[in-house]
Amino acid sequence: MAFSWKTAGITYLKYTQICARAVRNALKEEQRLIAQKRDEQGIKYAKWENGKQGELKPIVPQQHS
Amino acid sequence: MNFLFRTVRTASAAFRIKACTSVRYYANEAPAGLSDRLRLSFALPHQTIYANAEVQQVNIASTAGDMGILANHVPSIEQLKPGIVEILENPTTIKRYFASGGFAMINPNSSLDINAIEAFPLEDFSLEAIRTNLAEAQRIASTASTEEEKAEARIEVEVYEALQSALSK
């Protein structure tokens, strides 16, 4: 049972992510609101050209298949 | 041919003797003269809980089973299950954290590094939230349409069950 998620194609990183999310959701209201801000993380990037910042674009995470 | 066979035999006998001398024994056989205190570093991506602090013993839930770590433990790397990390700072002060999973590295110099994604003191958890989330995860585990959704829900069920048993102790 311990590693049954591996056969379903879930990677270790995804597994720890699910565990961490479950732990955050089990907290008392006060701590949960602080912790849940860590759940969503994103990256934005911009290309700099001639000393000027280009358009700021968010990187959309690829859907895990 | 016979000669060749003999050389191989001698070589393998020599190897066996060499292998025997490098066998490793239990932790109490480790070289003396090291510190008799365990030094613990317990870190999360967003917080340091212990930074090279001297403690007496640490109990972890590894995927290979529950284990207690004292000073001069055999070096090892253990994967943590979602479960309790129990820190005996001294015989009277015991701190219990629930960690979501990570790794514990037991180093040869009596230092222990634990990394986890999330870890909270047990009193930060709400039994009510655990119960509702567990019921929801169990429902998804049995009704979800794809195998991946089911697997995700089963992981959550495992985490909430571990939390429940941790809080009931």
Side-chain angles (χ1 to χ4, degrees), chain B residues 54-165:
Chain B
E54 284 207 349
V55 297
Q56 191 186 15
Q57 184 183 344
V58 179
N59 298 331
I60 58 168
S62 90
T63 48
D66 293 355
M67 57 192 286
I69 301 156
L70 290 159
N72 300 329
H73 194 285
V74 235
S76 166
I77 297 177
E78 300 291 335
Q79 186 188 327
L80 300 179
K81 286 194 292 191
I84 294 183
V85 174
E86 191 174 44
I87 298 135
L88 284 78
E89 293 181 356
N90 54 57
T92 48
T93 317
I94 301 171
K95 298 265 169 69
R96 287 189 185 88
Y97 289 86
F98 189 93
S100 72
F103 283 91
M105 274 145 284
I106 307 163
N107 302 312
N109 61 353
S110 280
S111 71
L112 169 65
D113 301 318
I114 300 178
N115 304 317
I117 310 289
E118 292 286 356
F120 293 93
L122 291 189
E123 59 267 22
D124 283 2
F125 291 98
S126 146
L127 260 179
E128 192 51 46
I130 295 169
R131 215 172 296 133
T132 10
N133 291 338
L134 175 61
E136 175 67 6
Q138 277 167 336
R139 193 185 61 76
I140 296 172
S142 57
T143 59
S145 50
T146 69
E147 205 44 54
E148 196 184 340
E149 277 176 305
K150 277 187 186 170
E152 277 188 29
R154 275 201 298 268
I155 296 169
E156 287 178 4
V157 168
E158 232 170 275
V159 175
Y160 292 126
E161 280 176 348
L163 263 168
Q164 255 185 349
S165 74

